[in-house]
Amino acid sequence: MTQEWWNTYAQQMEWSGAADLPSRLPENVQALLEEMGLTTLDPSAYTDLGLGQTAQMLADLLSVQAAGPKATLGMLLGVILLCALFSGLEGGVGSVSLRRTYQGVAVLSAGGAVLVPLLGLFTAVWTAVEQVTVFLTAFVPVYGAVLFTGGQAVGAASYQTTLLLAVQILLWLVRRIVLPVLLVSLGLGCVGAVSEGFCLDRISGALHKAILWLMGLSSTLFSGLLSLQQMVAAAGDSLGSRVVKFSLSSFVPVVGGVLSEAYNTVVGCGGLLRSTVGAFGVLSVVLVVLPPLLSCVCWSVGLQLAGGAAALFGLTPLDTLCRTAAGAVKVLIAVLAVFALLMILSTSVVVFVGR
């Protein structure tokens, strides 16, 4: 990159406000970016990003996020082993009330080990969703200015409107529908684990599937809408750019060719800035959702292992409880994935269609 190109790139980055975007991120995300060597919007930092340091960062993050699920899995396995040792009490006495009391104590013991830290996971996921929303509220107008500088005026308008609307609607869905329904499903799963004759755990599973369908349908609609808008906008922006270059070279005497080349330089730097800022935005959103996402994955694996151990010893109530909790964690994974994929798909469409 020549000095002229670099000066133009730096000016566009300053005018658009992109230089201030790293300071809008949470402190933990800034620390992760610093560990990866991405403290600035220098394009060479992204092209030189190595696999080794990224893998090391992921390994360190995974070890931190897996600590809580491992401790809970240990407690769950202890409860399952104790329940298996005392399972003779359930069948040794013919009293139905004693059997139900035994099952209730077993579920309460396992629920105490699972539900309290699981509520902390709910809080972590909601915090990540809020942080993504706050960051995108600052990022999208800046990226719209970057797109406008690079000659994508129509694309910038559709990108800002659609993505901000999608994020706000998804945030409302998570706050008003997803999290309350998940809490209700956990309650139904706990009651269904000890109740006989009422398949409440089936209702819990149906609620989880409904939420997954709702999140998937919402993200598909918004991604498809943005893709259609960008395909049409790209044609209009391309035509407008050609009209400007033709006008400069044809109707401006003497210096028309020079101005046309200068316009090409500005648009080229805008394209580089568009790709760099877009990569920064995508990576930032991914790093915001990555810690709770890794925690959710560890929770899902641990709960499935505990459920398998409970099923091995014939402890059906504990197996039901673990399966219900694992279903709720899978929904949390889907929520985080929807926010990350929405940012990845929308920005990728803008970058590649804009070319």
Side-chain angles (χ1 to χ4, degrees):
M1 181 184 296
T2 63
Q3 187 63 35
E4 180 184 359
W5 268 67
W6 176 253
N7 291 336
T8 305
Y9 177 85
Q11 289 176 357
Q12 290 182 353
M13 183 172 61
E14 188 69 28
W15 291 340
S16 63
D20 299 330
L21 285 177
S23 62
R24 304 293 184 92
L25 290 169
E27 293 183 358
N28 62 321
V29 179
Q30 294 183 28
L32 291 176
L33 287 174
E34 186 176 357
E35 184 179 349
M36 298 173 66
L38 301 175
T39 56
T40 63
L41 292 177
D42 188 357
S44 61
Y46 292 86
T47 56
D48 297 338
L49 183 61
L51 181 61
Q53 58 185 351
T54 304
Q56 183 62 41
M57 183 270 294
L58 290 175
D60 295 340
L61 193 59
L62 180 61
S63 64
V64 173
Q65 297 298 323
K70 285 194 298 185
T72 303
L73 176 61
M75 289 189 291
L76 263 180
L77 292 178
V79 171
I80 290 171
L81 288 176
L82 285 176
C83 292
L85 288 175
F86 290 101
S87 60
L89 294 176
E90 180 185 2
V93 182
S95 173
V96 177
S97 61
L98 181 60
R99 184 178 74 251
R100 290 181 178 178
T101 302
Y102 168 80
Q103 292 178 350
V105 171
V107 172
L108 285 176
S109 302
V114 172
L115 295 182
V116 174
L118 196 60
L119 291 178
L121 182 65
F122 275 58
T123 304
V125 170
W126 172 246
T127 301
V129 169
E130 282 189 319
Q131 289 176 345
V132 169
T133 305
V134 171
F135 172 71
L136 288 181
T137 304
F139 172 81
V140 171
V142 172
Y143 198 57
V146 171
L147 294 176
F148 184 83
T149 305
Q152 290 182 250
V154 182
S158 63
Y159 176 82
Q160 292 185 76
T161 304
T162 305
L163 186 56
L164 285 177
L165 178 63
V167 169
Q168 294 299 325
I169 291 178
L170 288 176
L171 180 67
W172 182 85
L173 287 176
V174 172
R175 181 173 63 242
R176 298 296 184 184
I177 297 178
V178 175
L179 292 182
V181 171
L182 280 182
L183 293 176
V184 171
S185 70
L186 279 176
L188 290 175
C190 293
V191 176
V194 295
S195 63
E196 296 181 359
F198 297 96
C199 298
L200 297 180
D201 56 311
R202 300 292 181 87
I203 299 177
S204 178
L207 291 176
H208 294 164
K209 291 181 180 179
I211 294 175
L212 291 176
W213 274 96
L214 177 64
M215 298 298 294
L217 180 62
S218 301
S219 60
T220 301
L221 288 176
F222 285 122
S223 300
L225 177 61
L226 184 61
S227 299
L228 290 175
Q229 289 177 341
Q230 289 300 315
M231 283 189 291
V232 177
D237 290 329
S238 176
L239 178 60
S241 179
R242 293 184 180 185
V243 169
V244 171
K245 288 193 292 184
F246 176 77
S247 301
L248 289 174
S249 60
S250 300
F251 300 108
V252 179
V254 182
V255 296
V258 177
L259 291 178
S260 179
E261 291 300 323
Y263 176 78
N264 287 333
T265 301
V266 172
V267 172
C269 291
L272 179 61
L273 184 63
R274 174 189 60 202
S275 300
T276 305
V277 176
F280 169 78
V282 169
L283 184 60
S284 298
V285 171
V286 169
L287 290 179
V288 170
V289 304
L290 187 59
L293 182 62
L294 291 177
S295 183
C296 288
V297 171
C298 295
W299 268 97
S300 178
V301 173
L303 288 171
Q304 290 180 13
L305 290 176
L312 180 65
F313 291 108
L315 302 174
T316 304
L318 297 184
D319 180 29
T320 301
L321 176 64
C322 291
R323 284 191 287 105
T324 301
V329 172
K330 289 179 181 179
V331 174
L332 295 179
I333 293 175
V335 169
L336 295 172
V338 163
F339 276 85
L341 290 176
L342 181 64
M343 178 63 180
I344 293 172
L345 291 176
S346 61
T347 306
S348 299
V349 167
V350 170
V351 170
F352 290 105
V353 173
R355 292 179 179 178

